[in-house]
Amino acid sequence: METNLDIHEKYMMKAMELAKGGSGKTNPNPLVGAVVVKDGEIVAEGFHEVLGCAHAEAAAIYNARGDISGGTMYVNLEPCSHFGRTPPCANAIVQAGIKEVVVAMEDPNPKVSGRGIGILKDAGINVITGVLEKNAKKLNEIFIKYITKKQPFVIMKTAMTLDGKIAAATGDSKWITGEKSRQYVHLIRNRVASIMVGINTVLKDDPSLTTRLEGETGADSVRVIVDSTGKIPEKSRVLNVDSDKGVILATTSKIPKEKEEALIKKGVTIIKADKMENGTVTGVDLAKLMGELYKLEIDSILLEGGGTLNSSALQYGIVDKVMSFISPKIIGGANAPTPVEGQGRRYMKDAVSLEEVSLERFDDDILIEGYVKSNVYRDC
């Protein structure tokens, strides 16, 4: 026999599945789904489809199949209480005559957290919170960091052989992992707001950095190229692909003026983030860059760089999540590149450690996923 908790979890899972329909289209807003149940039947459902369009709760009310007054609404994030791009959802719920609202998690924004729930309770609506809260936080881990820390959520993705190489000593790297792994990476690209690589990746591989999904149109991400001296060729594919998303060149004051002007004419956004050492510009300051990307409402980054950029990202402490694909191949080579290079940590006690580690298999490849321990915002 189903208990009330079982029923609540069942419909909350439905709301979260609906929420995923907004992947790649709502950034920097969260993924939210809503379900209204009355007399044991789903009578309305909706999700936040596109940034600027109706939120999940309003969409569900609009899509209602009959009278929803007296029903129970399930929503994976606290209904908003303020005017933003759309009117507050808490008021719409009250006006619709909903008698009970089940919420997975409160809004992590400290400026609004609890206010939406307060509006519902003041109107006499029974509110239940914390149903599948951990699942809800994982679903919106990007939004949680973005709204609480005012920085993008950074995922470092690597693909390596069993002996830890990301390419042969010759530079050949196509393909380390299989088709299923590569398709999964495109699903991640479809979710995040931006993809970041270093200039060496552009010069070596000449990637397009677009999203390609089987049987459907994916959402491209903004392409961010870290290039401290403006080496990027103007004919690079990443600068010339047909995409509705732009390119950001993260560079320094070392970029030649004529190159900067030429790139701006091509529609490239230039961000200068000088890293200074003893009065000299030595590279791109990734911490400063994160702040500038936040201002552009870029809430997430898929870091697909080589060993040098990955090393810098870990050194700056900007990495939140690591996704490491391991293929059962061995190529050897003392000079073959590895996922993280640079000087490295001198002692094991200083190693970057991951928590909440999980494993997933894609044919013969294995994905190891985990979160960098020092980033504790996910427990907010």
Side-chain angles (χ1 to χ4, degrees):
M1 173 180 282
E2 284 188 318
T3 64
N4 282 339
L5 180 60
D6 292 332
I7 293 170
H8 289 335
E9 290 186 351
K10 170 184 169 182
Y11 291 120
M12 189 61 74
M13 285 298 295
K14 173 65 175 176
M16 284 192 271
E17 281 302 312
L18 287 169
K20 293 175 184 177
S23 289
K25 292 171 282 191
T26 65
N27 308 67
N29 278 2
L31 297 174
V32 186
V35 173
V36 179
V37 177
K38 186 174 181 179
D39 299 326
E41 299 289 336
I42 294 178
V43 294
E45 57 186 40
F47 66 96
H48 185 31
E49 297 186 38
V50 179
L51 182 68
C53 291
H55 286 186
E57 303 92 328
I61 293 168
Y62 179 81
N63 294 333
R65 301 181 292 276
D67 182 20
I68 62 172
S69 61
T72 297
M73 176 176 282
Y74 294 83
V75 60
N76 59 286
L77 183 68
E78 176 183 2
C80 63
S81 59
H82 62 290
F83 281 89
R85 289 181 172 92
T86 61
C89 293
N91 294 348
I93 293 170
V94 172
Q95 292 168 9
I98 299 293
K99 72 170 185 179
E100 182 176 64
V101 177
V102 181
V103 178
M105 62 175 285
E106 290 188 8
D107 192 323
N109 187 344
K111 294 181 179 179
V112 298
S113 181
R115 293 185 181 180
I117 290 173
I119 290 172
L120 300 178
K121 287 182 175 180
D122 288 345
I125 296 173
N126 183 46
V127 180
I128 299 171
T129 60
V131 175
L132 295 181
E133 182 176 14
K134 187 174 181 179
N135 303 59
K137 285 184 174 181
K138 184 172 178 62
L139 177 67
N140 275 310
E141 60 192 7
I142 287 174
F143 176 70
I144 293 172
K145 183 187 181 186
Y146 177 77
I147 204 68
T148 61
K149 300 299 182 182
K150 301 188 186 307
Q151 288 188 344
F153 184 91
V154 180
I155 303 168
M156 188 178 85
K157 189 276 295 182
T158 64
M160 64 183 179
T161 59
L162 195 58
D163 55 338
K165 310 298 184 182
I166 62 173
T170 60
D172 181 56
S173 61
K174 291 185 171 54
W175 293 103
I176 288 177
T177 54
E179 180 64 26
K180 280 193 176 179
S181 296
R182 299 198 300 273
Q183 274 298 308
Y184 186 70
V185 171
H186 281 276
L187 286 174
I188 305 301
R189 286 186 178 187
N190 186 62
R191 169 70 179 100
V192 298
S194 69
I195 300 171
M196 181 185 290
V197 299
I199 184 58
N200 290 336
T201 297
V202 174
L203 296 176
K204 181 171 68 74
D205 297 336
D206 195 22
S208 63
L209 301 180
T210 54
T211 300
R212 301 178 294 280
L213 300 179
E214 276 189 25
E216 60 179 297
T217 302
D220 285 341
S221 305
V222 174
R223 281 90 69 204
V224 181
I225 314 300
V226 180
D227 177 9
S228 61
T229 58
K231 292 180 185 176
I232 189 167
E234 290 178 48
K235 293 183 179 180
S236 298
R237 291 177 65 198
V238 71
L239 299 181
N240 295 283
V241 294
D242 182 16
S243 173
D244 62 343
K245 298 294 176 63
V247 176
I248 294 172
L249 191 78
T251 188
T252 69
S253 54
K254 283 187 173 183
I255 186 173
K257 187 65 176 178
E258 60 274 14
K259 187 63 172 288
E260 179 180 356
E261 291 173 352
L263 292 173
I264 290 173
K265 285 182 180 178
K266 289 182 71 69
V268 176
T269 299
I270 305 293
I271 294 177
K272 295 179 184 177
D274 289 0
K275 176 186 177 183
M276 304 295 296
E277 292 183 7
N278 300 320
T280 302
V281 178
T282 59
V284 175
D285 186 318
L286 296 183
K288 290 180 183 176
L289 177 60
M290 294 303 104
E292 294 303 312
L293 294 178
Y294 168 81
K295 293 175 186 177
L296 295 176
E297 294 194 331
I298 291 178
D299 65 359
S300 48
I301 298 169
L302 180 61
L303 182 60
E304 294 200 64
T308 301
L309 183 57
N310 289 342
S311 175
S312 295
L314 290 169
Q315 186 177 7
Y316 273 97
I318 66 170
V319 177
D320 300 292
K321 187 176 186 177
V322 176
M323 298 176 63
S324 182
F325 290 87
I326 302 175
S327 173
K329 299 173 183 175
I330 297 174
I331 56 176
N335 295 322
T338 61
V340 181
E341 298 192 333
Q343 293 183 347
R345 306 298 169 109
R346 296 182 64 188
Y347 304 104
M348 284 301 298
K349 66 180 178 64
D350 298 323
V352 176
S353 297
L354 304 182
E355 60 186 352
E356 296 183 40
V357 175
S358 62
L359 280 73
E360 191 170 353
R361 188 164 175 170
F362 296 88
D363 286 340
D364 290 335
D365 300 332
I366 293 174
L367 168 62
I368 298 178
E369 183 176 290
Y371 298 86
V372 176
K373 271 189 176 180
S374 60
N375 293 336
V376 297
Y377 63 87
R378 286 174 297 105
D379 296 326
C380 293

